[in-house]
PDB file of all heavy atoms in Angstrom:
ATOM      1  N   PHE A  87      31.453  -0.891 -23.827  1.00  0.00           N
ATOM      2  CA  PHE A  87      30.712  -0.501 -25.034  1.00  0.00           C
ATOM      3  C   PHE A  87      30.938   0.970 -25.388  1.00  0.00           C
ATOM      4  O   PHE A  87      30.868   1.334 -26.563  1.00  0.00           O
ATOM      5  CB  PHE A  87      29.213  -0.792 -24.857  1.00  0.00           C
ATOM      6  CG  PHE A  87      28.896  -2.268 -24.797  1.00  0.00           C
ATOM      7  CD1 PHE A  87      28.166  -2.800 -23.749  1.00  0.00           C
ATOM      8  CD2 PHE A  87      29.358  -3.126 -25.783  1.00  0.00           C
ATOM      9  CE1 PHE A  87      27.893  -4.153 -23.689  1.00  0.00           C
ATOM     10  CE2 PHE A  87      29.086  -4.489 -25.736  1.00  0.00           C
ATOM     11  CZ  PHE A  87      28.350  -4.995 -24.678  1.00  0.00           C
ATOM     12  N   ALA A  88      31.209   1.795 -24.395  1.00  0.00           N
ATOM     13  CA  ALA A  88      31.531   3.202 -24.672  1.00  0.00           C
ATOM     14  C   ALA A  88      32.831   3.297 -25.480  1.00  0.00           C
ATOM     15  O   ALA A  88      32.937   4.075 -26.435  1.00  0.00           O
ATOM     16  CB  ALA A  88      31.656   3.983 -23.371  1.00  0.00           C
ATOM     17  N   LEU A  89      33.813   2.468 -25.112  1.00  0.00           N
ATOM     18  CA  LEU A  89      35.072   2.435 -25.862  1.00  0.00           C
ATOM     19  C   LEU A  89      34.875   1.829 -27.254  1.00  0.00           C
ATOM     20  O   LEU A  89      35.440   2.305 -28.242  1.00  0.00           O
ATOM     21  CB  LEU A  89      36.122   1.617 -25.085  1.00  0.00           C
ATOM     22  CG  LEU A  89      36.667   2.242 -23.796  1.00  0.00           C
ATOM     23  CD1 LEU A  89      37.546   1.243 -23.054  1.00  0.00           C
ATOM     24  CD2 LEU A  89      37.468   3.499 -24.111  1.00  0.00           C
ATOM     25  N   LYS A  90      34.079   0.794 -27.311  1.00  0.00           N
ATOM     26  CA  LYS A  90      33.860   0.102 -28.580  1.00  0.00           C
ATOM     27  C   LYS A  90      33.158   0.982 -29.602  1.00  0.00           C
ATOM     28  O   LYS A  90      33.530   1.014 -30.788  1.00  0.00           O
ATOM     29  CB  LYS A  90      33.038  -1.172 -28.332  1.00  0.00           C
ATOM     30  CG  LYS A  90      32.771  -1.999 -29.580  1.00  0.00           C
ATOM     31  CD  LYS A  90      31.991  -3.254 -29.223  1.00  0.00           C
ATOM     32  CE  LYS A  90      31.691  -4.084 -30.474  1.00  0.00           C
ATOM     33  NZ  LYS A  90      30.934  -5.315 -30.151  1.00  0.00           N
ATOM     34  N   TYR A  91      32.116   1.680 -29.160  1.00  0.00           N
ATOM     35  CA  TYR A  91      31.319   2.503 -30.091  1.00  0.00           C
ATOM     36  C   TYR A  91      31.713   3.987 -30.058  1.00  0.00           C
ATOM     37  O   TYR A  91      31.050   4.821 -30.682  1.00  0.00           O
ATOM     38  CB  TYR A  91      29.828   2.343 -29.766  1.00  0.00           C
ATOM     39  CG  TYR A  91      29.352   0.919 -29.913  1.00  0.00           C
ATOM     40  CD1 TYR A  91      28.840   0.222 -28.811  1.00  0.00           C
ATOM     41  CD2 TYR A  91      29.426   0.254 -31.134  1.00  0.00           C
ATOM     42  CE1 TYR A  91      28.407  -1.088 -28.930  1.00  0.00           C
ATOM     43  CE2 TYR A  91      28.988  -1.059 -31.261  1.00  0.00           C
ATOM     44  CZ  TYR A  91      28.481  -1.721 -30.161  1.00  0.00           C
ATOM     45  OH  TYR A  91      28.057  -3.024 -30.281  1.00  0.00           O
ATOM     46  N   LYS A  92      32.767   4.306 -29.263  1.00  0.00           N
ATOM     47  CA  LYS A  92      33.302   5.672 -29.199  1.00  0.00           C
ATOM     48  C   LYS A  92      32.228   6.697 -28.849  1.00  0.00           C
ATOM     49  O   LYS A  92      31.918   7.618 -29.615  1.00  0.00           O
ATOM     50  CB  LYS A  92      33.956   6.038 -30.534  1.00  0.00           C
ATOM     51  CG  LYS A  92      35.139   5.135 -30.860  1.00  0.00           C
ATOM     52  CD  LYS A  92      35.754   5.462 -32.210  1.00  0.00           C
ATOM     53  CE  LYS A  92      36.918   4.520 -32.513  1.00  0.00           C
ATOM     54  NZ  LYS A  92      37.498   4.769 -33.844  1.00  0.00           N
ATOM     55  N   MET A  93      31.656   6.519 -27.690  1.00  0.00           N
ATOM     56  CA  MET A  93      30.604   7.411 -27.193  1.00  0.00           C
ATOM     57  C   MET A  93      30.715   7.499 -25.672  1.00  0.00           C
ATOM     58  O   MET A  93      31.377   6.659 -25.053  1.00  0.00           O
ATOM     59  CB  MET A  93      29.213   6.885 -27.597  1.00  0.00           C
ATOM     60  CG  MET A  93      28.941   5.460 -27.187  1.00  0.00           C
ATOM     61  SD  MET A  93      27.286   4.880 -27.642  1.00  0.00           S
ATOM     62  CE  MET A  93      27.346   5.032 -29.409  1.00  0.00           C
ATOM     63  N   PRO A  94      30.088   8.513 -25.053  1.00  0.00           N
ATOM     64  CA  PRO A  94      30.166   8.657 -23.595  1.00  0.00           C
ATOM     65  C   PRO A  94      29.554   7.451 -22.876  1.00  0.00           C
ATOM     66  O   PRO A  94      28.630   6.813 -23.379  1.00  0.00           O
ATOM     67  CB  PRO A  94      29.354   9.932 -23.316  1.00  0.00           C
ATOM     68  CG  PRO A  94      29.348  10.668 -24.608  1.00  0.00           C
ATOM     69  CD  PRO A  94      29.366   9.640 -25.685  1.00  0.00           C
ATOM     70  N   THR A  95      30.064   7.161 -21.708  1.00  0.00           N
ATOM     71  CA  THR A  95      29.575   6.022 -20.914  1.00  0.00           C
ATOM     72  C   THR A  95      28.220   6.352 -20.288  1.00  0.00           C
ATOM     73  O   THR A  95      28.021   7.449 -19.774  1.00  0.00           O
ATOM     74  CB  THR A  95      30.575   5.688 -19.792  1.00  0.00           C
ATOM     75  OG1 THR A  95      31.870   5.498 -20.363  1.00  0.00           O
ATOM     76  CG2 THR A  95      30.170   4.435 -19.051  1.00  0.00           C
ATOM     77  N   ILE A  96      27.310   5.393 -20.321  1.00  0.00           N
ATOM     78  CA  ILE A  96      25.999   5.606 -19.696  1.00  0.00           C
ATOM     79  C   ILE A  96      26.120   5.438 -18.183  1.00  0.00           C
ATOM     80  O   ILE A  96      26.972   4.690 -17.693  1.00  0.00           O
ATOM     81  CB  ILE A  96      24.948   4.618 -20.248  1.00  0.00           C
ATOM     82  CG1 ILE A  96      25.397   3.159 -20.051  1.00  0.00           C
ATOM     83  CG2 ILE A  96      24.643   4.902 -21.698  1.00  0.00           C
ATOM     84  CD1 ILE A  96      24.325   2.146 -20.391  1.00  0.00           C
ATOM     85  N   LYS A  97      25.261   6.154 -17.448  1.00  0.00           N
ATOM     86  CA  LYS A  97      25.232   6.058 -15.995  1.00  0.00           C
ATOM     87  C   LYS A  97      23.793   5.916 -15.530  1.00  0.00           C
ATOM     88  O   LYS A  97      22.878   6.517 -16.113  1.00  0.00           O
ATOM     89  CB  LYS A  97      25.858   7.306 -15.369  1.00  0.00           C
ATOM     90  CG  LYS A  97      27.358   7.433 -15.643  1.00  0.00           C
ATOM     91  CD  LYS A  97      27.928   8.665 -14.971  1.00  0.00           C
ATOM     92  CE  LYS A  97      29.425   8.804 -15.251  1.00  0.00           C
ATOM     93  NZ  LYS A  97      30.005  10.013 -14.613  1.00  0.00           N
ATOM     94  N   LEU A  98      23.597   5.152 -14.466  1.00  0.00           N
ATOM     95  CA  LEU A  98      22.262   4.926 -13.927  1.00  0.00           C
ATOM     96  C   LEU A  98      22.008   5.858 -12.746  1.00  0.00           C
ATOM     97  O   LEU A  98      22.918   6.151 -11.964  1.00  0.00           O
ATOM     98  CB  LEU A  98      22.110   3.473 -13.454  1.00  0.00           C
ATOM     99  CG  LEU A  98      22.278   2.362 -14.496  1.00  0.00           C
ATOM    100  CD1 LEU A  98      22.159   1.006 -13.816  1.00  0.00           C
ATOM    101  CD2 LEU A  98      21.246   2.480 -15.605  1.00  0.00           C
ATOM    102  N   THR A  99      20.769   6.311 -12.625  1.00  0.00           N
ATOM    103  CA  THR A  99      20.375   7.069 -11.433  1.00  0.00           C
ATOM    104  C   THR A  99      20.286   6.107 -10.251  1.00  0.00           C
ATOM    105  O   THR A  99      20.273   4.883 -10.429  1.00  0.00           O
ATOM    106  CB  THR A  99      19.022   7.759 -11.644  1.00  0.00           C
ATOM    107  OG1 THR A  99      18.017   6.738 -11.837  1.00  0.00           O
ATOM    108  CG2 THR A  99      19.055   8.679 -12.854  1.00  0.00           C
ATOM    109  N   ASP A 100      20.211   6.651  -9.039  1.00  0.00           N
ATOM    110  CA  ASP A 100      20.147   5.802  -7.842  1.00  0.00           C
ATOM    111  C   ASP A 100      18.926   4.894  -7.857  1.00  0.00           C
ATOM    112  O   ASP A 100      19.006   3.713  -7.471  1.00  0.00           O
ATOM    113  CB  ASP A 100      20.121   6.678  -6.579  1.00  0.00           C
ATOM    114  CG  ASP A 100      21.444   7.415  -6.376  1.00  0.00           C
ATOM    115  OD1 ASP A 100      22.451   6.980  -6.971  1.00  0.00           O
ATOM    116  OD2 ASP A 100      21.454   8.419  -5.626  1.00  0.00           O
ATOM    117  N   ASP A 101      17.772   5.448  -8.292  1.00  0.00           N
ATOM    118  CA  ASP A 101      16.550   4.633  -8.379  1.00  0.00           C
ATOM    119  C   ASP A 101      16.692   3.530  -9.418  1.00  0.00           C
ATOM    120  O   ASP A 101      16.204   2.411  -9.234  1.00  0.00           O
ATOM    121  CB  ASP A 101      15.342   5.516  -8.713  1.00  0.00           C
ATOM    122  CG  ASP A 101      14.976   6.458  -7.574  1.00  0.00           C
ATOM    123  OD1 ASP A 101      15.392   6.155  -6.429  1.00  0.00           O
ATOM    124  OD2 ASP A 101      14.301   7.473  -7.826  1.00  0.00           O
ATOM    125  N   ALA A 102      17.351   3.847 -10.520  1.00  0.00           N
ATOM    126  CA  ALA A 102      17.547   2.850 -11.581  1.00  0.00           C
ATOM    127  C   ALA A 102      18.457   1.719 -11.109  1.00  0.00           C
ATOM    128  O   ALA A 102      18.268   0.558 -11.492  1.00  0.00           O
ATOM    129  CB  ALA A 102      18.127   3.524 -12.825  1.00  0.00           C
ATOM    130  N   VAL A 103      19.439   2.050 -10.263  1.00  0.00           N
ATOM    131  CA  VAL A 103      20.328   1.012  -9.720  1.00  0.00           C
ATOM    132  C   VAL A 103      19.532   0.031  -8.873  1.00  0.00           C
ATOM    133  O   VAL A 103      19.749  -1.193  -8.932  1.00  0.00           O
ATOM    134  CB  VAL A 103      21.457   1.655  -8.881  1.00  0.00           C
ATOM    135  CG1 VAL A 103      22.249   0.581  -8.135  1.00  0.00           C
ATOM    136  CG2 VAL A 103      22.388   2.458  -9.773  1.00  0.00           C
ATOM    137  N   ILE A 104      18.582   0.538  -8.087  1.00  0.00           N
ATOM    138  CA  ILE A 104      17.726  -0.324  -7.247  1.00  0.00           C
ATOM    139  C   ILE A 104      16.898  -1.260  -8.122  1.00  0.00           C
ATOM    140  O   ILE A 104      16.778  -2.451  -7.845  1.00  0.00           O
ATOM    141  CB  ILE A 104      16.810   0.537  -6.345  1.00  0.00           C
ATOM    142  CG1 ILE A 104      17.658   1.333  -5.346  1.00  0.00           C
ATOM    143  CG2 ILE A 104      15.796  -0.335  -5.610  1.00  0.00           C
ATOM    144  CD1 ILE A 104      16.876   2.356  -4.543  1.00  0.00           C
ATOM    145  N   ILE A 105      16.321  -0.715  -9.203  1.00  0.00           N
ATOM    146  CA  ILE A 105      15.531  -1.525 -10.133  1.00  0.00           C
ATOM    147  C   ILE A 105      16.416  -2.580 -10.790  1.00  0.00           C
ATOM    148  O   ILE A 105      16.013  -3.733 -10.959  1.00  0.00           O
ATOM    149  CB  ILE A 105      14.882  -0.627 -11.220  1.00  0.00           C
ATOM    150  CG1 ILE A 105      13.872   0.334 -10.585  1.00  0.00           C
ATOM    151  CG2 ILE A 105      14.211  -1.476 -12.294  1.00  0.00           C
ATOM    152  CD1 ILE A 105      12.719  -0.342  -9.882  1.00  0.00           C
ATOM    153  N   LEU A 106      17.628  -2.185 -11.152  1.00  0.00           N
ATOM    154  CA  LEU A 106      18.569  -3.112 -11.790  1.00  0.00           C
ATOM    155  C   LEU A 106      18.856  -4.309 -10.882  1.00  0.00           C
ATOM    156  O   LEU A 106      18.891  -5.456 -11.337  1.00  0.00           O
ATOM    157  CB  LEU A 106      19.871  -2.373 -12.116  1.00  0.00           C
ATOM    158  CG  LEU A 106      20.904  -3.141 -12.943  1.00  0.00           C
ATOM    159  CD1 LEU A 106      20.514  -3.112 -14.417  1.00  0.00           C
ATOM    160  CD2 LEU A 106      22.296  -2.548 -12.766  1.00  0.00           C
ATOM    161  N   LYS A 107      19.041  -4.051  -9.591  1.00  0.00           N
ATOM    162  CA  LYS A 107      19.363  -5.121  -8.649  1.00  0.00           C
ATOM    163  C   LYS A 107      18.152  -6.008  -8.342  1.00  0.00           C
ATOM    164  O   LYS A 107      18.319  -7.190  -8.017  1.00  0.00           O
ATOM    165  CB  LYS A 107      19.892  -4.512  -7.344  1.00  0.00           C
ATOM    166  CG  LYS A 107      21.267  -3.882  -7.478  1.00  0.00           C
ATOM    167  CD  LYS A 107      21.733  -3.322  -6.144  1.00  0.00           C
ATOM    168  CE  LYS A 107      23.121  -2.713  -6.229  1.00  0.00           C
ATOM    169  NZ  LYS A 107      23.580  -2.175  -4.933  1.00  0.00           N
ATOM    170  N   LYS A 108      16.954  -5.434  -8.429  1.00  0.00           N
ATOM    171  CA  LYS A 108      15.746  -6.205  -8.114  1.00  0.00           C
ATOM    172  C   LYS A 108      15.315  -7.118  -9.249  1.00  0.00           C
ATOM    173  O   LYS A 108      14.558  -8.061  -9.038  1.00  0.00           O
ATOM    174  CB  LYS A 108      14.582  -5.258  -7.777  1.00  0.00           C
ATOM    175  CG  LYS A 108      14.666  -4.658  -6.392  1.00  0.00           C
ATOM    176  CD  LYS A 108      13.413  -3.839  -6.103  1.00  0.00           C
ATOM    177  CE  LYS A 108      13.425  -3.291  -4.679  1.00  0.00           C
ATOM    178  NZ  LYS A 108      12.220  -2.492  -4.402  1.00  0.00           N
ATOM    179  N   HIS A 109      15.780  -6.832 -10.459  1.00  0.00           N
ATOM    180  CA  HIS A 109      15.362  -7.643 -11.605  1.00  0.00           C
ATOM    181  C   HIS A 109      15.870  -9.077 -11.471  1.00  0.00           C
ATOM    182  O   HIS A 109      16.942  -9.315 -10.913  1.00  0.00           O
ATOM    183  CB  HIS A 109      15.881  -7.032 -12.913  1.00  0.00           C
ATOM    184  CG  HIS A 109      15.270  -7.663 -14.127  1.00  0.00           C
ATOM    185  ND1 HIS A 109      13.945  -7.511 -14.454  1.00  0.00           N
ATOM    186  CD2 HIS A 109      15.810  -8.451 -15.086  1.00  0.00           C
ATOM    187  CE1 HIS A 109      13.699  -8.174 -15.572  1.00  0.00           C
ATOM    188  NE2 HIS A 109      14.815  -8.757 -15.970  1.00  0.00           N
ATOM    189  N   ARG A 110      15.120 -10.034 -11.985  1.00  0.00           N
ATOM    190  CA  ARG A 110      15.430 -11.453 -11.800  1.00  0.00           C
ATOM    191  C   ARG A 110      16.611 -11.914 -12.664  1.00  0.00           C
ATOM    192  O   ARG A 110      17.348 -12.817 -12.272  1.00  0.00           O
ATOM    193  CB  ARG A 110      14.189 -12.304 -12.123  1.00  0.00           C
ATOM    194  CG  ARG A 110      14.392 -13.765 -11.794  1.00  0.00           C
ATOM    195  CD  ARG A 110      13.083 -14.529 -11.820  1.00  0.00           C
ATOM    196  NE  ARG A 110      13.310 -15.935 -11.538  1.00  0.00           N
ATOM    197  CZ  ARG A 110      13.503 -16.448 -10.331  1.00  0.00           C
ATOM    198  NH1 ARG A 110      13.491 -15.656  -9.284  1.00  0.00           N
ATOM    199  NH2 ARG A 110      13.713 -17.730 -10.161  1.00  0.00           N
ATOM    200  N   TRP A 111      16.806 -11.376 -13.838  1.00  0.00           N
ATOM    201  CA  TRP A 111      17.911 -11.731 -14.741  1.00  0.00           C
ATOM    202  C   TRP A 111      17.980 -13.231 -15.006  1.00  0.00           C
ATOM    203  O   TRP A 111      18.953 -13.902 -14.669  1.00  0.00           O
ATOM    204  CB  TRP A 111      19.254 -11.213 -14.190  1.00  0.00           C
ATOM    205  CG  TRP A 111      19.312  -9.731 -14.030  1.00  0.00           C
ATOM    206  CD1 TRP A 111      19.348  -9.027 -12.877  1.00  0.00           C
ATOM    207  CD2 TRP A 111      19.305  -8.749 -15.092  1.00  0.00           C
ATOM    208  NE1 TRP A 111      19.363  -7.674 -13.130  1.00  0.00           N
ATOM    209  CE2 TRP A 111      19.340  -7.485 -14.487  1.00  0.00           C
ATOM    210  CE3 TRP A 111      19.272  -8.833 -16.493  1.00  0.00           C
ATOM    211  CZ2 TRP A 111      19.328  -6.299 -15.222  1.00  0.00           C
ATOM    212  CZ3 TRP A 111      19.260  -7.662 -17.221  1.00  0.00           C
ATOM    213  CH2 TRP A 111      19.287  -6.406 -16.589  1.00  0.00           C
ATOM    214  N   ASN A 112      16.925 -13.732 -15.639  1.00  0.00           N
ATOM    215  CA  ASN A 112      16.883 -15.162 -15.969  1.00  0.00           C
ATOM    216  C   ASN A 112      17.998 -15.563 -16.926  1.00  0.00           C
ATOM    217  O   ASN A 112      18.438 -16.710 -16.922  1.00  0.00           O
ATOM    218  CB  ASN A 112      15.521 -15.530 -16.569  1.00  0.00           C
ATOM    219  CG  ASN A 112      14.406 -15.430 -15.550  1.00  0.00           C
ATOM    220  OD1 ASN A 112      14.600 -15.753 -14.388  1.00  0.00           O
ATOM    221  ND2 ASN A 112      13.247 -14.981 -15.968  1.00  0.00           N
ATOM    222  N   GLY A 113      18.435 -14.616 -17.780  1.00  0.00           N
ATOM    223  CA  GLY A 113      19.533 -14.899 -18.699  1.00  0.00           C
ATOM    224  C   GLY A 113      20.897 -14.638 -18.103  1.00  0.00           C
ATOM    225  O   GLY A 113      21.919 -14.777 -18.783  1.00  0.00           O
ATOM    226  N   ASN A 114      20.916 -14.216 -16.830  1.00  0.00           N
ATOM    227  CA  ASN A 114      22.147 -13.983 -16.059  1.00  0.00           C
ATOM    228  C   ASN A 114      23.070 -12.959 -16.726  1.00  0.00           C
ATOM    229  O   ASN A 114      22.586 -11.968 -17.268  1.00  0.00           O
ATOM    230  CB  ASN A 114      22.852 -15.320 -15.805  1.00  0.00           C
ATOM    231  CG  ASN A 114      22.029 -16.210 -14.895  1.00  0.00           C
ATOM    232  OD1 ASN A 114      21.839 -15.901 -13.727  1.00  0.00           O
ATOM    233  ND2 ASN A 114      21.508 -17.297 -15.433  1.00  0.00           N
ATOM    234  N   ILE A 115      24.385 -13.194 -16.705  1.00  0.00           N
ATOM    235  CA  ILE A 115      25.350 -12.195 -17.169  1.00  0.00           C
ATOM    236  C   ILE A 115      25.158 -11.893 -18.651  1.00  0.00           C
ATOM    237  O   ILE A 115      25.301 -10.753 -19.094  1.00  0.00           O
ATOM    238  CB  ILE A 115      26.789 -12.686 -16.899  1.00  0.00           C
ATOM    239  CG1 ILE A 115      27.007 -12.809 -15.387  1.00  0.00           C
ATOM    240  CG2 ILE A 115      27.814 -11.735 -17.498  1.00  0.00           C
ATOM    241  CD1 ILE A 115      28.330 -13.430 -14.991  1.00  0.00           C
ATOM    242  N   ARG A 116      24.794 -12.907 -19.426  1.00  0.00           N
ATOM    243  CA  ARG A 116      24.579 -12.710 -20.860  1.00  0.00           C
ATOM    244  C   ARG A 116      23.439 -11.709 -21.105  1.00  0.00           C
ATOM    245  O   ARG A 116      23.538 -10.832 -21.957  1.00  0.00           O
ATOM    246  CB  ARG A 116      24.259 -14.045 -21.525  1.00  0.00           C
ATOM    247  CG  ARG A 116      24.250 -14.002 -23.035  1.00  0.00           C
ATOM    248  CD  ARG A 116      23.976 -15.367 -23.615  1.00  0.00           C
ATOM    249  NE  ARG A 116      25.052 -16.296 -23.340  1.00  0.00           N
ATOM    250  CZ  ARG A 116      24.897 -17.463 -22.723  1.00  0.00           C
ATOM    251  NH1 ARG A 116      23.704 -17.825 -22.297  1.00  0.00           N
ATOM    252  NH2 ARG A 116      25.908 -18.263 -22.536  1.00  0.00           N
TER     253      ARG A 116
END
């Protein structure tokens, strides 16, 4: 999306990565 919209790539903090992995993601990859 950074390439598509021509903007800097977003990055997650270490704590945010933990939250990201703990989320259930019922909609999965989509």
Side-chain angles (χ1 to χ4, degrees):
F87 292 127
L89 290 173
K90 181 178 179 180
Y91 299 118
K92 298 178 181 177
M93 54 179 61
T95 306
I96 57 172
K97 293 181 180 180
L98 299 177
T99 63
D100 292 341
D101 292 340
V103 171
I104 295 172
I105 295 299
L106 187 79
K107 290 181 179 180
K108 283 185 176 180
H109 191 68
R110 187 167 178 79
W111 299 111
N112 292 323
N114 294 293
I115 296 173
R116 190 178 294 124

